[in-house]
Amino acid sequence: MRAEVRGKTSSVSVHNNSTILNRADNSSVYGALKGCLGSLDGGCIEKLLVHCGSALESHDVTLAQQVMWVLNNVASLVGDPNQRLTSWFLRALVSRASRVCPSPSPTSMSFNGSSIRVETRLMSVTDLARYVDVIPWHRFGFCAANIAIYKAIERYQKVHILDFSISHCMQWPTLIDALSKRPQGPPSLRITVPSFRPQVPPLLNIPTQQIGLCLTKFANSKNIPFQFNLFPYNHNNNNIIISLFDPSILNLQHDEALVINCQHWLRYVSDDEKDDFINATKRLNPRITVVVDEDFDLTDSSLASRITTSFNYFWIPFDALETFLSKDSTQRLEYEADVGQRIENIIGFEGKQRVERLESCVKVSERMRNGGYLNQPFCDEAADEVKALLAEQASGWGMKREEDALVLTWKGHNAVFVTAWVSSDDEIVVA
């Protein structure tokens, strides 16, 4: 996806704004602006962000400051999607400058968005439900994954789900309800979650154990025997991570169908541990493994590449929210702030401090195959249910099939993928 095709421009004059051009007198900045007549569109903003990132990488404080001045005249937290997105990228670049540039730093100046105080937002369960419903980022994965899981376990009377997810088990009430109506009767169900969860949005104001109690109460109301368990998970030690995928520690039983669910989780496993993580899950011989994540790639070490990829990708939620929420909507501002915190981490930090290590669907699928998994395509019935879900959303959302996956799209651009995998030659029709 290229920013130039968005069809929207930010309402900041370039060729008539002498103040901006005087401040941006560096030839590199002028080159970035050349051809952007009238207003700065997404393509011009992207070029400026890349110039700023390159300047910071080379410790060129003067150039970084000049580009920031131009970006500052575009950025607005209550403007159009490009302006709002620019505010968060500017904040991320200022944050990076504060750590990597020698004094005097560009952060000594006042930039729009750079002084925003972003506080950790703890949600109630009701708030979380509202958060999940804003755009189908999570519900798409829930729907497709639950269909795959339901079909995979239909012959089993005992089911164990090992759930790696950042969405606090919001996926499971729908599946529990479906299992309660199963023609042959519901199975007994165990859900096991790791004790560690990345400290990323959405965050809840209740402990994980309380979530388990809520799920237990709901499952009991549906007459489903249910257990909720935590297992220890040390994300800072790969050897501990792998050793904890032990059938005895997980209390796996030979007569239960094991399901491994990874919803927006692999991005928080470090690059050098992803293959070990996948191999460890494969050794558990799950009935099905489902992987859901965002379909863009942050593996390039170049900051300029990360800026380009992230700017073109994160435009999607900013543009989608524009279609139905007012510019000063509190819900919209909070959701965008959550995305903005991700942008700051991706652009502002390096090494272990950069917690997001997203890979594209193609790369994740390659890892799964190298780990011995076999892909299970989704059939028409599954696709139809996902399309029905998206029909309730804004008209820009859609779904397409790719070789290994179902993919959520916004105006034709890939957003989130879901894939299903098995660890043996047993065929499962995921429908």
Side-chain angles (χ1 to χ4, degrees):
M1 169 178 169
R2 298 296 300 170
E4 291 87 341
V5 305
R6 296 173 189 164
K8 287 192 177 182
T9 57
S10 298
S11 54
V12 179
S13 175
V14 174
H15 65 293
N16 291 326
N17 194 326
S18 59
T19 302
I20 296 178
L21 291 179
N22 286 338
R23 287 170 178 162
D25 55 1
N26 186 285
S27 59
S28 296
V29 181
Y30 178 78
L33 293 171
K34 189 176 181 181
C36 299
L37 299 178
S39 297
L40 290 178
D41 66 7
C44 291
I45 294 171
E46 178 190 330
K47 290 177 184 177
L48 287 167
L49 291 170
V50 170
H51 273 292
C52 189
S54 298
L56 292 178
E57 283 195 302
S58 61
H59 299 283
D60 188 338
V61 178
T62 301
L63 176 56
Q65 182 173 290
Q66 289 171 340
V67 182
M68 285 179 181
W69 272 117
V70 180
L71 292 168
N72 193 52
N73 281 270
V74 178
S76 170
L77 286 172
V78 292
D80 66 34
N82 281 342
Q83 291 175 300
R84 299 166 85 103
L85 184 58
T86 301
S87 294
W88 289 105
F89 271 86
L90 179 58
R91 175 187 171 87
L93 290 167
V94 170
S95 174
R96 186 183 183 96
S98 70
R99 289 184 300 278
V100 303
C101 283
S103 183
S105 165
T107 57
S108 62
M109 312 186 72
S110 177
F111 295 108
N112 291 337
S114 64
S115 60
I116 304 166
R117 185 176 179 181
V118 179
E119 298 181 353
T120 300
R121 180 163 62 104
L122 298 178
M123 303 181 191
S124 67
V125 173
T126 302
D127 293 334
L128 178 61
R130 232 180 348 249
Y131 177 93
V132 168
D133 284 341
V134 173
I135 56 177
W137 221 255
H138 293 283
R139 290 182 66 202
F140 170 82
F142 295 169
C143 179
N146 282 348
I147 295 167
I149 292 167
Y150 183 91
K151 188 65 179 179
I153 62 176
E154 63 181 352
R155 299 197 309 268
Y156 288 82
Q157 291 303 310
K158 296 177 66 176
V159 177
H160 186 181
I161 298 174
L162 183 55
D163 183 30
F164 296 92
S165 172
I166 65 167
S167 54
H168 305 283
C169 296
M170 284 293 292
Q171 176 178 349
W172 304 125
T174 301
L175 180 64
I176 290 171
D177 182 64
L179 291 174
S180 72
K181 302 171 184 175
R182 204 169 66 164
Q184 67 271 40
S188 65
L189 177 63
R190 285 199 296 149
I191 294 179
T192 299
V193 302
S195 57
F196 164 79
R197 178 194 178 277
Q199 291 301 297
V200 297
L203 297 172
L204 274 187
N205 62 359
I206 62 173
T208 304
Q209 292 87 341
Q210 184 66 37
I211 297 170
L213 291 175
C214 292
L215 277 178
T216 301
K217 183 177 180 180
F218 181 74
N220 290 341
S221 73
K222 298 293 181 177
N223 296 316
I224 292 182
F226 183 82
Q227 292 182 20
F228 184 86
N229 303 299
L230 287 173
F231 81 97
Y233 183 97
N234 187 331
H235 69 292
N236 290 319
N237 188 320
N238 189 39
N239 291 328
I240 293 179
I241 288 176
I242 303 310
S243 67
L244 289 177
F245 283 94
D246 184 309
S248 61
I249 293 176
L250 295 171
N251 192 25
L252 301 187
Q253 300 172 16
H254 72 277
D255 59 343
E256 65 183 5
L258 176 64
V259 173
I260 295 178
N261 184 66
C262 290
Q263 291 267 350
H264 301 277
W265 184 272
L266 277 179
R267 75 178 81 158
Y268 299 111
V269 179
S270 65
D271 293 337
D272 57 352
E273 294 175 356
K274 281 188 171 70
D275 287 339
D276 288 338
F277 180 93
I278 291 169
N279 292 338
T281 63
K282 168 67 169 55
R283 286 194 292 271
L284 297 178
N285 194 32
R287 177 66 178 159
I288 190 169
T289 297
V290 179
V291 178
V292 180
D293 222 320
E294 298 174 351
D295 196 11
F296 77 115
D297 199 315
L298 293 176
T299 57
D300 198 311
S301 60
S302 162
L303 176 61
S305 175
R306 289 210 306 277
I307 289 173
T308 295
T309 302
S310 299
F311 186 73
N312 283 282
Y313 181 79
F314 285 119
W315 164 80
I316 295 175
F318 279 79
D319 191 59
L321 292 170
E322 174 84 355
T323 63
F324 66 97
L325 290 176
S326 64
K327 294 187 182 301
D328 59 353
S329 162
T330 299
Q331 186 179 28
R332 178 177 178 180
L333 291 168
E334 288 178 344
Y335 195 100
E336 289 174 345
D338 289 342
V339 178
Q341 289 181 63
R342 295 181 58 198
I343 293 170
E344 182 170 357
N345 183 260
I346 291 166
I347 304 302
F349 293 87
E350 297 293 343
K352 290 185 177 180
Q353 288 182 303
R354 180 160 64 88
V355 298
E356 290 213 20
R357 302 284 175 173
L358 265 161
E359 292 183 330
S360 67
C361 179
V362 171
K363 287 189 175 180
V364 170
S365 294
E366 182 180 0
R367 285 190 187 273
M368 296 297 288
R369 287 195 175 89
N370 289 342
Y373 277 104
L374 301 174
N375 176 249
Q376 288 295 306
F378 291 84
C379 294
D380 291 341
E381 185 179 344
D384 289 343
E385 288 203 39
V386 174
K387 288 177 181 176
L389 166 69
L390 297 180
E392 303 171 3
Q393 303 290 323
S395 60
W397 294 106
M399 187 212 74
K400 66 180 181 182
R401 291 176 178 272
E402 294 194 343
E403 181 181 356
D404 297 330
L406 297 181
V407 182
L408 174 69
T409 63
W410 172 253
K411 297 182 178 178
H413 302 294
N414 288 17
V416 177
F417 70 86
V418 54
T419 56
W421 305 86
V422 293
S423 56
S424 70
D425 292 328
D426 294 337
E427 183 178 359
I428 301 172
V429 180
V430 181

